Amino acid sequence: MPEFDTRKMIEATTAVGTASAASRPNGTVSGAPKALSPAALDAARQPAAPAWSPIVVAGTVRMVEFALTVLVGLAVYFAYVFPEEGFEWRYVGGTFGIAVLAMLAFQTADIYQVQAFRGYEKQYFRLAAAWSVVFLVAIGVTFFAKVGDHYSRAWLAGFYVVGLVTLLAFRRTLFLLVRQWTRQGRLDRRTVIVGADDRGDALVKSLASQRDCDVHVIGVFDDRGDDRAPAGVRPKLGTVDDLVAFARKTRIDLVLFALPVSAEGRILEMLKKLWVLPVDIRLAAHANKLRFRPRSYSYLGNVPVFDIFDKPITDWDVVMKWLFDKIVGSILLILASPVMLITAIAIKLDSRGPAFFKQKRYGFNNELIEVYKFRSMYGDQCDATAAKLVQKGDPRVTRVGAFIRKTSIDELPQLINVVFKGNLSLVGPRPHAVHAKAENRLYDEAVDGYFARHRVKPGITGWAQISGWRGETDTHEKIQRRVEHDLYYIENWSVLFDLFILAKTPMALARSENAY
């Protein structure tokens, strides 16, 4: 792995400022009102099913259609050709060749977009035309290669007709599914606008007027008073501080600034508060008089925007990390089962009380999650909120507890969280207890931008733990360094990085001088 300077990293990551106004788990914000406005609460209660990435949906459709094409080609072959000619590899190769050509043709026809899946009739015509072109190309290739006699004309005709009917039927089924997902909001990007003025109104109207735009505006926020931010087409739900609390209560996918580029100072002040959220942040350029080259923009429909922050670990990365957690986590849980059984028995024999201990900790987007551990303290002295950190020689820790804490065996039940509950990952920022403190200050008070580490799901092990920052966090420097490493991990995540951290974890556990 490349050498890395945590100080430079944290400075680069927080170039726009730090999140001293980050929200707390109960939805309040430091220095802000403890309750949202009635309008904001109503908006937060809107049904918000988990979002499905359009990129993942389109990719899944590609794989399904490829599989259907192959299955149809082989089914026609085994039903008609195989009984007379026996098994011939050329038909298998021809089937896969046509399937690959079909995927390329469909891509060229631009029917692998969520907008196309919504069932407009032109997608069916485009699919039929592309499918026909594929077979014309296949027939032309076999003719000029002088191998036409090696393939059954009945197989080609049957493959064409049955394949076309199958693909059209699949697209019709997909249309019904996409329509249902759209009603559920799974394919919408739940968006809030920052800027309750004429610019904000114009932006909302521009987005609403586009037929295939997936942006669903659920509210407008503004840091100015009501006298300077008059009500527009959408009611103002609160200030930017309120937006942080709002995003903790409901799903937000996109924060869109309707401010001029010239308002740099105002934008930076807002970003200091918003960058801790697991959302995309964009600056709309629809009303700017200063125009840049087209490649400088990304687009929401026809609305040009500047990319400010991207939500970490999205699209296929989410799928890869989920598969990694489930597959590797299940293997580790099976391998660790004998050790867990022996540990549970030892705990029960050593002291009274349950073998397992459940503790509330911060999860993704500051959600409170319940984490499983082996009990390491006497039953009547367990500290569920971690109001007092465990110190060296702590009398609350049992004899077995001291050993399992030093070796981190007490963390093994968290594999249950990974495999069955899904609120932990194998690798990620370690989840901290809700009242954990460093030098008598809550972690979010001790470290600016602390809650930015919750933009991804927490993990059993992490970059900070294998880099020497494992164990007690009793000082400001220790928690600061942990946060720096966590933010580096978030910005540089990859499956290979996760594998590297997981492979280094046993060696990090061997260095147990800071664990007790």
Side-chain angles (χ1 to χ4, degrees):
M1 298 296 292
E3 182 178 358
F4 117 93
D5 187 330
T6 56
R7 298 294 181 184
K8 291 181 180 179
M9 181 281 306
I10 192 70
E11 290 173 3
T13 304
T14 60
V16 296
T18 53
S20 58
S23 74
R24 300 185 185 281
N26 62 5
T28 64
V29 179
S30 302
K34 293 186 178 181
L36 294 171
S37 68
L41 286 173
D42 288 342
R45 294 190 186 104
Q46 293 180 16
W52 290 353
S53 164
I55 293 176
V56 174
V57 172
T60 303
V61 170
R62 283 187 180 92
M63 290 186 288
V64 171
E65 290 188 339
F66 181 84
L68 286 174
T69 304
V70 170
L71 288 174
V72 168
L74 294 179
V76 174
Y77 163 66
F78 281 109
Y80 182 79
V81 180
F82 180 78
E84 296 184 4
E85 300 184 17
F87 183 78
E88 296 288 348
W89 278 107
R90 63 177 179 273
Y91 284 96
V92 176
T95 296
F96 277 91
I98 287 175
V100 171
L101 285 175
M103 298 306 101
L104 294 175
F106 294 164
Q107 181 67 42
T108 304
D110 198 26
I111 56 174
Y112 281 135
Q113 304 289 335
V114 172
Q115 291 84 352
F117 304 156
R118 298 186 192 279
Y120 304 135
E121 291 184 359
K122 64 181 180 181
Q123 77 151 324
Y124 302 113
F125 291 113
R126 287 184 178 182
L127 185 146
W131 184 247
S132 300
V133 168
V134 166
F135 275 82
L136 289 175
V137 170
I139 292 170
V141 169
T142 59
F143 174 78
F144 286 106
K146 297 182 179 180
V147 295
D149 293 340
H150 292 76
Y151 290 93
S152 167
R153 294 180 179 84
W155 174 72
L156 279 172
F159 193 177
Y160 173 79
V161 173
V162 177
L164 180 59
V165 172
T166 301
L167 290 171
L168 290 175
F170 170 71
R171 285 286 172 145
R172 183 60 185 177
T173 303
L174 180 63
F175 157 69
L176 297 175
L177 289 174
V178 168
R179 186 169 64 176
Q180 179 182 353
W181 297 338
T182 301
R183 285 198 300 264
Q184 295 171 346
R186 293 184 183 274
L187 297 176
D188 288 340
R189 302 180 71 183
R190 289 169 58 86
T191 302
V192 295
I193 305 294
V194 176
D197 54 14
D198 293 340
R199 285 176 174 269
D201 281 358
L203 179 57
V204 172
K205 291 176 181 176
S206 296
L207 293 171
S209 65
Q210 299 184 62
R211 180 182 181 186
D212 293 325
C213 186
D214 62 351
V215 174
H216 172 52
V217 179
I218 60 176
V220 177
F221 291 81
D222 201 301
D223 60 335
R224 300 172 299 177
D226 291 338
D227 57 330
R228 297 181 59 200
V233 296
R234 292 273 177 161
K236 178 184 171 184
L237 299 182
T239 65
V240 174
D241 284 338
D242 296 324
L243 171 54
V244 180
F246 182 78
R248 303 299 192 196
K249 292 181 177 294
T250 188
R251 193 194 99 214
I252 298 297
D253 302 308
L254 174 65
V255 174
L256 191 53
F257 282 87
L259 302 173
V261 177
S262 58
E264 178 182 352
R266 188 175 163 207
I267 293 172
L268 287 175
E269 285 301 314
M270 295 180 185
L271 289 177
K272 290 179 184 179
K273 304 170 184 178
L274 298 179
W275 80 285
V276 299
L277 297 175
V279 299
D280 294 327
I281 300 179
R282 304 287 184 261
L283 173 62
H286 64 298
N288 289 336
K289 295 181 179 179
L290 178 63
R291 308 303 296 178
F292 297 89
R293 298 177 65 183
R295 68 180 62 181
S296 302
Y297 303 104
S298 58
Y299 289 86
L300 300 174
N302 296 322
V303 177
V305 297
F306 294 110
D307 297 345
I308 307 298
F309 279 119
D310 289 323
K311 180 180 178 179
I313 311 182
T314 57
D315 300 327
W316 284 108
D317 288 343
V318 175
V319 177
M320 294 299 295
K321 191 164 180 62
W322 183 87
L323 290 173
F324 180 86
D325 287 339
K326 297 303 180 182
I327 296 172
V328 179
S330 297
I331 294 172
L332 292 177
L333 183 58
I334 293 171
L335 295 176
S337 294
V339 176
M340 294 174 66
L341 178 60
I342 294 171
T343 302
I345 295 172
I347 292 172
K348 294 292 290 185
L349 293 175
D350 184 50
S351 61
R352 294 181 179 179
F356 289 99
F357 172 64
K358 293 185 291 186
Q359 189 176 57
K360 295 287 187 182
R361 296 193 176 190
Y362 291 134
F364 173 72
N365 197 24
N366 277 30
E367 178 187 4
L368 282 181
I369 62 175
E370 198 168 56
V371 172
Y372 295 117
K373 298 183 67 175
F374 279 123
R375 179 175 59 84
S376 60
M377 298 183 182
Y378 291 101
D380 58 348
Q381 299 184 53
C382 290
D383 184 4
T385 62
K388 180 181 178 182
L389 293 177
V390 175
Q391 300 176 342
K392 192 172 184 177
D394 199 309
R396 298 174 297 169
V397 178
T398 66
R399 291 172 298 175
V400 171
F403 174 76
I404 64 176
R405 290 180 71 91
K406 197 167 187 66
T407 57
S408 290
I409 292 176
D410 64 322
E411 309 284 358
L412 288 179
Q414 291 176 24
L415 289 169
I416 298 172
N417 286 91
V418 174
V419 176
F420 296 107
K421 302 193 73 174
N423 52 16
L424 282 185
S425 287
L426 285 175
V427 182
R430 287 287 296 140
H432 295 148
V434 292
H435 292 152
K437 296 180 180 179
E439 297 178 349
N440 292 321
R441 298 172 67 193
L442 293 172
Y443 286 165
D444 66 296
E445 297 172 349
V447 180
D448 284 337
Y450 170 79
F451 285 124
R453 65 196 299 276
H454 298 157
R455 289 181 293 160
V456 300
K457 197 182 297 183
I460 296 178
T461 185
W463 180 235
Q465 282 63 46
I466 69 165
S467 300
W469 299 100
R470 169 177 170 256
E472 186 179 10
T473 51
D474 55 334
T475 67
H476 174 270
E477 181 189 7
K478 289 179 180 179
I479 188 60
Q480 176 75 33
R481 296 289 279 173
R482 273 199 185 185
V483 171
E484 290 172 1
H485 281 73
D486 290 339
L487 295 181
Y488 178 87
Y489 167 80
I490 291 171
E491 297 301 325
N492 295 275
W493 175 86
S494 70
V495 172
L496 290 178
F497 198 8
D498 273 3
L499 284 170
F500 176 80
I501 292 172
L502 210 57
K504 292 271 290 185
T505 295
M507 290 178 279
L509 294 179
R511 302 191 304 268
S512 57
E513 62 274 5
N514 294 326
Y516 33 82

